[in-house]
Amino acid sequence: MTMSILTVTVLASVLATVTLSAPPVFRLASYYGDHMVLQMEPHQSIIWGYGEENSDIEVNLKEKIYTTTTYQGPDGIQWIWKITLDVMPPSGPFSIEIKHHASMTDVITLRDVLFGDVWLCGGQSNMVFSVTQAFNATMEAMLSYEYPYIRLFTVNLNESEKALYDLESVEEPWSVPSPATVSAGAFKYFSATCWFYGRNLYDHLQYPIGLLVSSYGGTPVEAWSSPDALKVCNRTELQEANNSKKSDIIEAKKNDPNWDAKFGGPGAHSVLWNAMIHPLLNITIKG
């Protein structure tokens, strides 16, 4: 009898831990947050997230209310909602208030949001190469204070056998430039190529720029390509021909924990497209 009670107690404790660590039902998708840049005119920006079944959503921006209702997400994922904002000129900062009306009303407020151009910087080693590793790195990091209207975001390293609807994790959430957010370390945020590109754009355009980095060193283009693109390029036959080599690599990785550091990241077809690019199709970007 004592053992039975103990078992139930332990099980209840484990379930409580799982419940506490689970993400809230009402939340934004992974790439929304304070300090972000949303795409400006002539495009319309999208905000989306998760909620309870058939719950009403209100989004308040500049005293205009946008409304929608949650619906079943693709591939059986939980209920989601999506709002398309009006066309906005380069401007900000704004606060955006999002209300979720279900069993109770919950509110999320995004602060310090700008409208400008959002650019996706992707690739492998040349894009991962960081500001810390550039010439005059200390001076370049200090210059970051002069660019408060550039905002930075870095996707975490992930791979997936199937196309994901949202990012699994984020390395650097939307941030205002500073030495800490621009120059965190070698092969960490922030990408030197993306930073200097964005800085040059801002110098010429003088309106907000959002820089979104999704890159993974030592990876082939096939890993970043969609299945449709690979089919058009007739690359599927090559993958089938390499299946025997692929099994050898998987076995080698098991026996050598430093494999990725020595030989680069994942190379299987579409695994980085699925995890690090496909989720970004749900937001509005300049290019």
Side-chain angles (χ1 to χ4, degrees), residues 208-273:
I209 299 292
L211 301 175
L212 196 162
V213 175
S214 185
S215 56
Y216 201 137
T219 51
V221 69
E222 287 85 357
W224 293 100
S225 303
S226 70
D228 288 342
L230 291 170
K231 187 175 181 180
V232 170
C233 295
N234 195 31
R235 299 295 287 176
T236 52
E237 292 180 5
L238 177 62
Q239 185 176 27
E240 291 169 3
N242 284 338
N243 276 344
S244 59
K245 290 183 181 179
K246 192 173 172 184
S247 63
D248 292 340
I249 291 173
I250 291 172
E251 191 61 33
K253 282 189 173 186
K254 288 180 182 177
N255 298 326
D256 185 353
N258 297 316
W259 174 274
D260 282 343
K262 293 178 186 174
F263 303 107
H269 285 198
S270 301
V271 292
L272 299 181
W273 161 268

Side-chain angles (χ1 to χ4, degrees), residues 24-42:
V25 175
F26 171 51
R27 66 187 193 279
L28 293 166
S30 60
Y31 29 66
Y32 297 103
D34 296 344
H35 315 301
M36 74 176 301
V37 176
L38 291 172
Q39 181 59 44
M40 68 174 194
E41 60 189 9

Side-chain angles (χ1 to χ4, degrees), residues 10-282:
V10 170
L11 179 59
S13 175
V14 170
L15 289 174
T17 302
V18 170
T19 302
L20 288 172
S21 62
V25 175
F26 171 51
R27 66 187 193 279
L28 293 166
S30 60
Y31 29 66
Y32 297 103
D34 296 344
H35 315 301
M36 74 176 301
V37 176
L38 291 172
Q39 181 59 44
M40 68 174 194
E41 60 189 9
H43 310 284
Q44 290 180 275
S45 237
I46 293 170
I47 298 179
W48 74 274
Y50 306 87
E52 292 186 25
E53 181 177 344
N54 294 322
S55 58
D56 294 325
I57 302 293
E58 292 182 12
V59 173
N60 186 341
L61 170 62
K62 295 179 64 179
E63 299 184 353
K64 176 170 181 177
I65 305 294
Y66 304 80
T67 61
T68 189
T69 303
T70 59
Y71 58 93
Q72 184 68 55
D75 300 326
I77 68 171
Q78 58 192 295
W79 292 71
I80 63 174
W81 53 269
K82 185 178 293 186
I83 291 284
T84 302
L85 302 174
D86 289 345
V87 173
M88 294 284 290
S91 53
F94 301 109
S95 290
I96 301 177
E97 185 181 74
I98 304 145
K99 291 184 178 180
H100 173 259
H101 300 288
S103 53
M104 60 183 294
T105 298
D106 297 309
V107 180
I108 295 174
T109 302
L110 294 172
R111 294 177 173 84
D112 189 32
V113 176
L114 305 175
F115 282 86
D117 280 339
V118 180
W119 290 91
L120 170 61
C121 302
Q124 49 108 23
S125 301
N126 288 334
M127 190 62 74
V128 176
F129 184 87
S130 55
V131 173
T132 302
Q133 297 164 285
F135 290 123
N136 302 316
T138 302
M139 182 190 71
E140 295 294 349
M142 293 306 295
L143 282 173
S144 63
Y145 285 124
E146 299 180 12
Y147 293 89
Y149 292 102
I150 297 177
R151 302 298 169 83
L152 316 173
F153 182 97
T154 304
V155 176
N156 209 0
L157 304 183
N158 282 301
E159 57 182 302
S160 175
E161 292 295 327
K162 65 176 185 177
L164 303 181
Y165 197 72
D166 194 4
L167 297 171
E168 285 191 340
S169 58
V170 172
E171 181 179 6
E172 180 185 31
W174 285 105
S175 304
V176 180
S178 71
T181 61
V182 167
S183 191
F187 297 114
K188 287 181 64 64
Y189 55 83
F190 197 70
S191 161
T193 299
C194 194
W195 170 248
F196 294 128
Y197 173 72
R199 205 174 71 178
N200 188 54
L201 280 177
Y202 182 83
D203 287 341
H204 284 81
L205 300 173
Q206 294 293 304
Y207 58 66
I209 299 292
L211 301 175
L212 196 162
V213 175
S214 185
S215 56
Y216 201 137
T219 51
V221 69
E222 287 85 357
W224 293 100
S225 303
S226 70
D228 288 342
L230 291 170
K231 187 175 181 180
V232 170
C233 295
N234 195 31
R235 299 295 287 176
T236 52
E237 292 180 5
L238 177 62
Q239 185 176 27
E240 291 169 3
N242 284 338
N243 276 344
S244 59
K245 290 183 181 179
K246 192 173 172 184
S247 63
D248 292 340
I249 291 173
I250 291 172
E251 191 61 33
K253 282 189 173 186
K254 288 180 182 177
N255 298 326
D256 185 353
N258 297 316
W259 174 274
D260 282 343
K262 293 178 186 174
F263 303 107
H269 285 198
S270 301
V271 292
L272 299 181
W273 161 268
N274 290 337
M276 297 176 66
I277 298 296
H278 188 267
L280 304 178
L281 302 182
N282 296 314

Side-chain angles (χ1 to χ4, degrees), residues 1-10:
M1 184 68 177
T2 304
M3 179 62 72
S4 176
I5 293 173
L6 178 60
T7 303
V8 171
T9 302
V10 170

